[in-house]
Amino acid sequence: MGDNDVLRRRLADLGLTQDELAGQMNDALEALTGRCGDFSARTVRNLLNGTTRRPIGRTRAALERVFACPLTDLGFAPPSTAAPREDPVLRRTFIAGITAAVATPTNAPTTPRRIGTSDVERLQRKFAEIIASDHRHGGQLGIEQQAAAMSGRALALQETGSASQRVRGQVYASAAAFRSSAMWAAIDGRRFDDAIGHMREAQALAEMSGDPFIKFRIWSHAGTMYRHMGRPADAAAANTVARGLSLTRRDPMFASLGLARHAAIHGAAGDRIAARRCFGQAQDAMNRADPHAQRPVWMNAFYDQAELDSLALSAHLSLGDFARAEFHGHRCLAGLRPHMHRSKAIATARVARAQLEQGDVEPAVATAMSVPADQAALHPRVVGMLRTFGTRLDVIAPNTAPAHTWTQYVRDTRRTPA
């Protein structure tokens, strides 16, 4: 008996925790049988550590649905000729569910299903899980794929029964929200062509939903995407659409985010005066915002003073104002909430660059080496930032002790198994 390394790698590729995989397996079983499963993190641990070497019945069906491949592709032994005994009640439940799903004649009378708020709440819980996974891992293809798949599931729900106009709008908003998370994961992972495709899907779904909050998120993401692509004019145009929505006049927190991202766009375009003016306005708007107002989960999960300082750090780095960038960087790191792993790695890499450009070589190398190893090796944006840091270090302080320390650190990090 030994660890299932294949399954462990597939789990890491999707950016899922053990609890999250168990949740997806429960959803898969519900889709197959109409009844939610009771898989838990313990189930997944047994699959990973080799305690369960040949999953059968509902476990096998759920795994194959989640990963869209046969069990043998997940590192498990092929099913034996005589299947191991399984709880007969569970087996009958599973078979009955499958039979009902695929064997009922299309003309058989059925009771129309009513799509309600409980369905929307389930989608919103899944969306919150994706948001949390993004803050832990960021930019991973698995997060993008999971979010896109959940958008498809939300759309498929529309075809399963009747619903009020309000509930239909909420389901479309959920589909748009999932697709916007797929878009963000692609932006964060530097897969810009894929991000543009997700953006177009998300925009269409948002229009059908009529939800101004998700419209703001999508257009604001579009502005960030174009900024990272080096297209500041398109970035400003997209972000202007977000800032023009009426919710920015109702809630100063949304006005603040729109202004802060516009300031970062001005920084990328080299407009120092406009960037500083926009950051001042963003800070004023944040100070006016009601901290207890109801806002979407995605907004509450990330936008605060630390994120405003993160955008200021990015802008001042682009402008070459390295002392001001470092100031905002330290303030960002001091204020980041514990779950913001991806944001912490990005801010730390940027602070290191700001220190280096001011000639503080030893502190800069120490700061860069403090970026968590998993983010330094796996997150595309962080990998690129640290690569640029190394290039600039070779220019600013070649053949120095800090430069040698950094070179050795990079070699050791690459040799260390993930």
Side-chain angles (χ1 to χ4, degrees), residues 17-27 39-41 43-44:
T17 65
Q18 293 179 11
D19 282 320
E20 289 166 347
L21 175 56
Q24 289 206 19
M25 290 171 65
N26 287 328
D27 290 343
F39 301 116
S40 65
T43 308
V44 177

Side-chain angles (χ1 to χ4, degrees), residues 73 90 114 129 186 208 216 314:
D73 289 355
L90 293 176
R114 183 73 175 173
E129 289 174 9
M208 287 190 282
F216 179 93
S314 173

Side-chain angles (χ1 to χ4, degrees), residues 88-109:
V89 175
L90 293 176
R91 185 173 184 275
R92 285 197 300 273
T93 300
F94 176 72
I95 292 173
I98 294 292
T99 303
V102 301
T104 302
T106 57
N107 59 353

Side-chain angles (χ1 to χ4, degrees), residues 39-367:
F39 301 116
S40 65
R42 182 177 181 179
T43 308
V44 177
R45 280 197 298 275
N46 289 339
L47 294 167
L48 290 170
N49 64 26
T51 300
T52 304
R53 295 186 57 250
R54 186 179 280 114
I56 60 173
R58 62 195 193 123
T59 307
R60 175 185 178 183
L63 281 168
E64 290 183 341
R65 186 176 180 92
V66 170
F67 289 98
C69 67
L71 275 183
T72 50
D73 289 355
L74 298 174
F76 292 107
S80 60
T81 303
R85 291 177 59 82
E86 187 183 26
D87 185 329
V89 175
L90 293 176
R91 185 173 184 275
R92 285 197 300 273
T93 300
F94 176 72
I95 292 173
I98 294 292
T99 303
V102 301
T104 302
T106 57
N107 59 353
T110 58
T111 302
R113 184 181 186 279
R114 183 73 175 173
I115 305 167
T117 54
S118 61
D119 297 292
V120 174
E121 288 168 358
R122 276 195 294 271
L123 291 173
Q124 290 172 342
R125 286 195 295 271
K126 286 296 176 187
F127 182 58
E129 289 174 9
I130 285 176
I131 294 290
S133 184
D134 176 67
H135 286 308
R136 280 196 303 273
H137 306 290
Q140 300 302 309
L141 180 60
I143 298 173
E144 177 189 345
Q145 293 171 335
Q146 183 185 5
M150 284 303 304
S151 179
R153 287 180 61 178
L155 288 177
L157 179 64
Q158 297 277 27
E159 307 300 323
T160 64
S162 60
S164 68
Q165 185 173 352
R166 180 180 64 85
V167 168
R168 289 231 181 261
Q170 290 174 333
V171 175
Y172 276 122
S174 294
F178 285 121
R179 186 63 69 169
S180 69
S181 282
M183 173 189 175
W184 179 253
I187 293 169
D188 213 17
R190 293 300 189 260
R191 299 180 294 275
F192 294 121
D193 287 345
D194 293 334
I196 290 171
H198 292 308
M199 175 187 71
R200 290 170 180 161
E201 291 280 348
Q203 287 168 338
L205 293 168
E207 288 302 319
M208 287 190 282
S209 77
D211 186 324
F213 297 103
I214 196 58
K215 289 182 184 180
F216 179 93
R217 187 183 198 225
I218 293 162
W219 281 106
S220 186
H221 279 353
T224 301
M225 176 184 72
Y226 288 125
R227 172 166 62 88
H228 286 309
M229 293 172 72
R231 294 163 56 178
D234 290 334
N239 199 58
T240 296
V241 176
R243 291 178 58 203
L245 293 168
S246 61
L247 65 88
T248 63
R249 295 186 290 278
R250 298 196 305 269
D251 188 342
M253 190 64 86
F254 283 92
S256 176
L257 176 55
L259 284 160
R261 284 183 164 165
H262 222 80
I265 293 166
H266 285 312
D271 191 336
R272 187 182 305 268
I273 294 174
R276 289 183 179 176
R277 181 180 65 248
C278 270
F279 275 124
Q281 293 170 341
Q283 187 68 68
D284 289 343
M286 178 174 283
N287 293 343
R288 293 197 311 273
D290 178 0
H292 306 297
Q294 269 199 325
R295 299 184 180 96
V297 62
W298 58 264
M299 184 69 162
N300 291 332
F302 93 103
Y303 191 61
D304 54 13
Q305 183 65 54
E307 177 64 18
L308 197 159
D309 281 310
S310 176
L311 288 165
L313 163 61
S314 173
H316 290 301
L317 269 182
S318 297
L319 291 166
D321 190 344
F322 301 115
R324 193 180 295 267
E326 185 181 1
F327 165 78
H328 284 288
H330 287 303
R331 200 162 74 166
C332 167
L333 289 170
L336 278 174
R337 286 171 276 177
H339 69 276
M340 306 290 281
H341 300 296
R342 183 265 318 279
S343 296
K344 182 178 180 180
I346 290 173
T348 303
R350 284 175 172 161
V351 168
R353 175 73 184 281
Q355 291 172 325
L356 178 64
E357 297 293 347
Q358 294 176 82
D360 298 330
V361 180
E362 288 190 26
V365 169
T367 300

